[in-house]
Amino acid sequence: MKKDVSMKKILFAATVVIVAGAIVGIAITNNANTENDISIAQQEPAAGESETMTQENPIQEMTVEEGVYELRIKDHIFTPDELRVPAGEKFKIVVYNDDPTPEEFESDDFRREKIIAGNSKATINVGPLEPGKYHFFGEFNLDKANGYLYAE
Amino acid sequence: MFPTATIVFREILEVALVIGIVMAATRGLPGRVNLILAGLGLGILGSAIIAFFTQSISEAIDGIGQEVFNAAIMFTAVAFLSWTVIWMKTHGRQLAQNIKAVGADVVSGKKSAYVITGVVALATFREGAEIALFTYGMTASGAYTLAQIAMGGAIGALGGTIVGAMLYFGLLKASQRYLFTVTSWLLIILTAGMAAQGANFLIAAGVLPAIVPQMWDTSAILAGNSFLGETLKVMVGYTPKPTGMELIFYSTVLIVVGALYKNIGRPTKPNAAQSLAAE
């Protein structure tokens, strides 16, 4: 089993290096964050708009243009957290991340994953979907960031 | 602490499984540990850079930059892995027979061996970048202390590494006699799965059509986000709801690389060399 010493070397290096990598990541992204803060002010009016819209009608299309649906992330919570989308058609979801921290918009049910930097947006192409309920989530905040698509 | 451990485990698992198989497949290759470690180092450096440029990458190519970038990583990995499998086949028999005797031969083919470094680096890029971004988010939100996050990360990393190590030692134990054949086919299947994942990124980008949006749905039998589902996703490209396009990519890579692997290194090569020498 002499050669298996090499595996131990890798295992040890892997653990050390991963922790170190995370620390480097923190340091680097911290710098990126300060740049992002400037854009918060610009985005706030838009955020207010969507809030009033969702209060009136919690489950609704929020269609901006044909086949485009909008979601916002604030404090790691999706608004709205439920969307009705057409089954059997392609559509887009624009996710606005109003948090300063990055999020990964992900769904195992409709098989998409996309990282959205803090204070920015991303467009996700989805479908065509079979009729049904589809879970999506923010992978970096699994306890809070959850929502559903209803394809009908 | 727990969310960090879970996420880091999920990301590390993918890297660890790839390294586990590559380690088993390249058993006997001199210097493989350093090649793999170099790949890991390069991968971590790369993932930090990717994490930093997340937004720029996303906004590139009219907002589909991230999907195209991920697909590019996948397809490069497919090319590198295919190369590794075929290259190992041509050197594998010699390696298995007598390590010392082929030392010089392998050294002369050293450039090809760097492909292994590339494979590991590519496997690390995406997952490493996700860990960096996630960890940053956790720190910035202030919900957990740095110590808790570091602890969670260490537990997750350890867990993932243990699974990778189990795969490696399991492979060595279970298939001592046919280790080379078993690991080669494992790599070919893994490569096919990566090609399918790459195809899914291009479908998400709107570059490729899905052809059939959903071939079948096995999520009731095995959920894609379960531990087994994720493990099989890396190893055999399991997904509960594949599209027609992914199936095409999967089977094409499986057949093409599989056929190359089976037919390369047959006695035709020495004959060709002999006839050349005769001339």
Side-chain angles (χ1 to χ4, degrees):
Chain A
M1 295 300 273
K2 205 173 84 185
K3 273 178 209 122
D4 291 337
V5 176
S6 60
M7 191 64 192
K8 277 179 196 153
K9 197 167 146 192
I10 286 202
L11 298 187
F12 178 72
T15 323
V16 169
V17 115
I18 284 150
V19 174
I23 292 163
V24 170
I26 295 166
I28 288 177
T29 30
N30 257 325
N31 288 335
N33 181 37
T34 46
E35 291 163 28
N36 284 336
D37 283 343
I38 308 158
S39 60
I40 295 178
Q42 293 163 352
Q43 292 205 357
E44 258 167 9
E49 239 172 66
S50 79
E51 267 166 36
T52 48
M53 275 170 80
T54 43
Q55 273 159 14
E56 283 162 21
N57 198 350
I59 301 178
Q60 56 150 333
E61 270 108 293
M62 281 190 59
T63 310
V64 179
E65 55 181 277
E66 199 64 32
V68 180
Y69 301 84
E70 288 191 353
L71 286 176
R72 284 190 176 272
I73 303 170
K74 185 71 197 163
D75 299 324
H76 315 304
I77 291 166
F78 287 111
T79 312
D81 59 358
E82 290 178 328
L83 279 179
R84 293 194 187 283
V85 295
E89 279 174 37
K90 283 187 182 180
F91 57 92
K92 290 174 196 289
I93 303 174
V94 182
V95 185
Y96 292 88
N97 182 5
D98 294 336
D99 286 331
T101 52
E103 184 56 275
E104 182 173 26
F105 179 85
E106 187 165 348
S107 172
D108 292 314
D109 291 347
F110 55 86
R111 308 204 31 231
R112 288 294 178 265
E113 51 180 305
K114 191 157 184 170
I115 294 169
I116 312 163
N119 295 310
S120 67
K121 64 167 184 173
T123 307
I124 295 112
N125 295 310
V126 190
L129 299 177
E130 309 259 323
K133 187 182 182 184
Y134 294 82
H135 180 226
F136 59 82
F137 53 90
E139 207 200 352
F140 298 164
N141 295 279
L142 288 168
D143 50 338
K144 289 182 189 163
N146 283 284
Y148 292 92
L149 293 186
Y150 293 90
E152 43 199 38
Chain B
M1 197 167 103
F2 267 124
T4 321
T6 323
I7 299 272
V8 172
F9 176 73
R10 279 181 64 177
E11 309 296 350
I12 295 291
L13 182 67
E14 299 201 29
V15 182
L17 289 173
V18 172
I19 293 181
I21 299 182
V22 170
M23 275 290 286
T26 56
R27 194 166 161 84
L29 178 73
R32 71 189 172 134
V33 175
N34 289 337
L35 289 170
I36 289 170
L37 284 179
L40 205 57
L42 213 68
I44 287 156
L45 193 72
S47 50
I49 294 169
I50 294 168
F52 184 73
F53 288 109
T54 300
Q55 197 167 350
S56 323
I57 293 169
S58 283
E59 284 165 3
I61 334 175
D62 290 328
I64 57 164
Q66 196 178 120
E67 285 87 346
V68 172
F69 184 75
N70 285 337
I73 288 180
M74 286 296 175
F75 290 128
T76 315
V78 167
F80 281 17
L81 279 165
S82 309
W83 181 264
T84 304
V85 169
I86 290 157
W87 183 77
M88 280 301 292
K89 172 90 182 262
T90 56
H91 292 264
R93 200 174 298 137
Q94 301 152 298
L95 285 172
Q97 280 163 1
N98 191 337
I99 297 161
K100 276 172 199 157
V102 292
D105 187 30
V106 173
V107 169
S108 70
K110 191 90 185 177
K111 271 177 203 152
S112 296
Y114 284 122
V115 168
I116 296 162
T117 305
V119 165
V120 175
L122 286 164
T124 317
F125 281 157
R126 288 183 51 239
E127 318 307 332
E130 282 188 28
I131 290 172
L133 289 169
F134 165 75
T135 318
Y136 156 66
M138 291 293 281
T139 341
S141 71
Y144 300 88
T145 66
L146 199 61
Q148 284 174 317
I149 294 166
M151 194 63 190
I155 291 170
L158 196 71
T161 315
I162 286 171
V163 177
M166 277 165 60
L167 175 68
Y168 172 73
F169 290 116
L171 278 172
L172 292 196
K173 260 222 152 77
S175 56
Q176 271 181 344
R177 202 159 155 211
Y178 303 102
L179 180 69
F180 183 69
T181 314
V182 169
T183 52
S184 293
W185 281 106
L186 275 177
L187 277 180
I188 294 168
I189 296 167
L190 182 142
T191 307
M194 279 194 171
Q197 276 189 62
N200 190 43
F201 279 121
L202 289 184
I203 294 166
V207 174
L208 279 183
I211 303 177
V212 181
Q214 189 176 312
M215 294 294 290
W216 56 72
D217 183 1
T218 54
S219 54
I221 303 163
L222 178 58
N225 60 353
S226 61
F227 172 68
L228 187 62
E230 298 226 332
T231 307
L232 289 179
K233 180 188 169 185
V234 181
M235 293 190 60
V236 303
Y238 173 76
T239 171
K241 299 173 185 174
T243 59
M245 185 58 93
E246 284 171 280
L247 223 57
I248 291 173
F249 271 76
Y250 191 94
S251 35
T252 306
V253 169
L254 199 62
I255 291 165
V256 171
V257 183
L260 280 172
Y261 170 75
K262 281 204 82 160
N263 294 316
I264 256 168
R266 286 274 165 87
T268 46
K269 232 183 172 178
N271 288 348
Q274 273 169 17
S275 59
L276 271 175
E279 280 170 31

